[in-house]
Structures are given as C-alpha cells and as structure tokens.
Amino acid sequence: AMAPGGATVASEPPATAAARMKEYVSALFPVVAPLPRPRGYPHNKESVLEMCGSEEEASNVRQSLEEAAARCGTCPLCKRHALVPSDAELAIQWRIDLSTLQWSIARASPACLHCREVGDGDALLNAMLDVKDAAGEVAFASLTSHLLLTNGLDASKGEAVQAALNATHTIKVVASNLPCKVVRGKSRSPLSPSGVPGECITALRKAGKDEPEPEAKAPKRKSEGG
C-alpha cells in the first residue's frame, strides 16, 4: 500500500494534504484512531487530574470516570477488556478541523489502558521510537495488535499502523505551524487546558447511557484472512 498522500502532497497546500491524511487515518481506524492532540493539553487521567483547579473538581473527575466505567462494564472502545472502575483509564480523542483551524474534543470516555494508548497518536509514536530491544518490540507489537483488532483489521496488518503513524506525525507538524485554536465542541468558544476537566466530566456523565456516536460505529469485518 502506498503511503497516504504519496507524491501529490508537495503540490497541494499543507493543510489540504494534512486534512486528507486525517481522513485516511480515521477511515482506516474507525473505532479508535492514533490521531494527534494539541500541544499542552491534557490527554489522559493523570494529566486531566493535574489540570483540575480544585480538589473538588479532581474528585468529580474521578467519580464521573468510575461511575461511567461501572455503567459500561467493559471498555466501550475495544469491547474486549473488563473495566475495574477504580483503575479505568480516561481516553480523550481530539479532533482537528483543518478547514477552520480548530481543535476540539471528539470523545472522552472510560477505557482500558491499551485503548487509551493507541488512541493517542503521540503516545503510540513514542512507543514506536522507544523500541530499542526485544522487550520494547513486544510492548509495541502488543499495542499495534490491539489497535488493529479493535478496528476489525487483521493483526498482521502492521504496515497500516506504520502508515497511519507517518500520517499522524505529518498532521501534527502541519497543525503546529498553523494558527490553530482549541475550542469547545458545540459552542466553539475558546477552551483552555484548565477547561478540559469540566469537558471530560460532562462527557463521562453521558458515557454508557446513550447510543455511541456515529463516528464510533463498529467496523466492517473483513471476511478474508491475512
């Protein structure tokens, strides 16, 4: 498979190329995609708790996450791992709209550790760069396998993960060179890093109560093997 974009990237505006790469990654991985996040914004439970303005807000984040995990029972992303409410991870999927130059939170939900890591393009890129020995290879292979299986792809399609990570890196570089703003999903009002815990609490209180968003639809499973 050709790398996303191929030779045409140089002849089109960087934002257009990056937008096409984002669509490529999202289409390849419809359930959990290793997409980038805005610099300086919290991306997991630990960093969201650090960003809380008070102990009360931190307590609300923990409580909302534990209650959402208890309602879901299993990870709502991969639907394979049981969630222990007190240990559940917080998976934040960021969305970037390169036509409006806006980042926003696409989804915040309880998750298993692997789904939280593979849905964070930066974390997955770092895991790939950290492969320096057999243990690192095993750890990275475990993550790529989880990403592929969660999205209904054959576990042998490692080159798809590599292509997606290359695209994600390009999207991040392009976005960092554009005057992108971070906004709240519906109101499009500015969102500061300290506002993320509140957004997460709102999303977590809905998790496990209603139907999944259209973009989190189950992938079509391929009938042929390999």
Side-chain angles (χ1 to χ4, degrees), residues 4 17-36 93-98 103-104 106-107 118-119 121 147-148 150-153 160-161 163-168 171 213-220:
R20 200 162 38 74
M21 289 182 180
K22 188 197 74 168
E23 293 306 318
Y24 165 85
V25 176
S26 300
L28 192 60
F29 300 114
V31 180
V32 182
L35 286 165
Q93 182 93 62
W94 287 90
R95 176 192 291 122
I96 182 164
D97 183 337
L98 288 151
W103 289 96
S104 59
R107 178 182 63 212
V118 300
L147 177 63
L148 291 163
T150 297
N151 286 284
L153 296 167
V161 178
L165 286 176
N166 289 344
T168 290
I171 297 162
E213 297 173 45
E215 70 178 23
K217 60 186 180 290
K220 287 185 181 139

Side-chain angles (χ1 to χ4, degrees), residues 62-93:
R62 287 191 199 94
Q63 184 182 354
S64 304
L65 179 58
E66 289 185 19
E67 289 173 355
R71 281 195 304 273
C72 293
T74 54
C75 175
L77 304 179
C78 67
K79 306 200 167 30
R80 288 164 60 217
H81 293 287
L83 293 179
V84 177
S86 58
D87 287 339
E89 286 290 330
L90 171 58
I92 303 175
Q93 182 93 62

Side-chain angles (χ1 to χ4, degrees), residues 5-214:
T8 60
V9 174
S11 60
E12 62 187 336
T16 308
R20 200 162 38 74
M21 289 182 180
K22 188 197 74 168
E23 293 306 318
Y24 165 85
V25 176
S26 300
L28 192 60
F29 300 114
V31 180
V32 182
L35 286 165
R37 50 181 154 88
R39 188 175 294 153
Y41 277 73
H43 57 282
N44 59 17
K45 178 165 70 174
E46 186 182 352
S47 58
V48 167
L49 289 172
E50 284 174 3
M51 203 57 73
C52 289
S54 65
E55 185 46 52
E56 182 186 9
E57 187 174 47
S59 176
N60 283 338
V61 169
R62 287 191 199 94
Q63 184 182 354
S64 304
L65 179 58
E66 289 185 19
E67 289 173 355
R71 281 195 304 273
C72 293
T74 54
C75 175
L77 304 179
C78 67
K79 306 200 167 30
R80 288 164 60 217
H81 293 287
L83 293 179
V84 177
S86 58
D87 287 339
E89 286 290 330
L90 171 58
I92 303 175
Q93 182 93 62
W94 287 90
R95 176 192 291 122
I96 182 164
D97 183 337
L98 288 151
S99 62
T100 59
L101 301 183
Q102 291 179 333
W103 289 96
S104 59
I105 295 174
R107 178 182 63 212
S109 70
C112 65
L113 176 62
H114 270 18
C115 276
R116 200 272 295 160
E117 289 187 324
V118 300
D120 178 351
D122 296 53
L124 202 55
L125 273 166
N126 289 337
M128 182 177 73
L129 295 171
D130 283 346
V131 174
K132 296 181 175 70
D133 54 23
E137 275 182 36
V138 169
F140 184 64
S142 171
L143 288 173
T144 57
S145 170
H146 186 86
L147 177 63
L148 291 163
L149 291 171
T150 297
N151 286 284
L153 296 167
D154 192 277
S156 65
K157 300 252 187 293
E159 75 281 358
V161 178
Q162 183 71 57
L165 286 176
N166 289 344
T168 290
H169 179 67
T170 301
I171 297 162
K172 189 167 182 75
V173 170
V174 170
S176 68
N177 287 310
L178 292 169
C180 295
K181 292 183 168 62
V182 183
V183 299
R184 296 175 192 274
K186 285 186 179 159
S187 67
R188 315 316 277 175
S189 59
L191 176 65
S192 66
S194 61
V196 172
E199 292 287 289
C200 289
I201 291 168
T202 301
L204 288 167
R205 284 179 176 160
K206 296 176 187 168
K209 286 183 177 173
D210 45 16
E211 290 300 303
E213 297 173 45

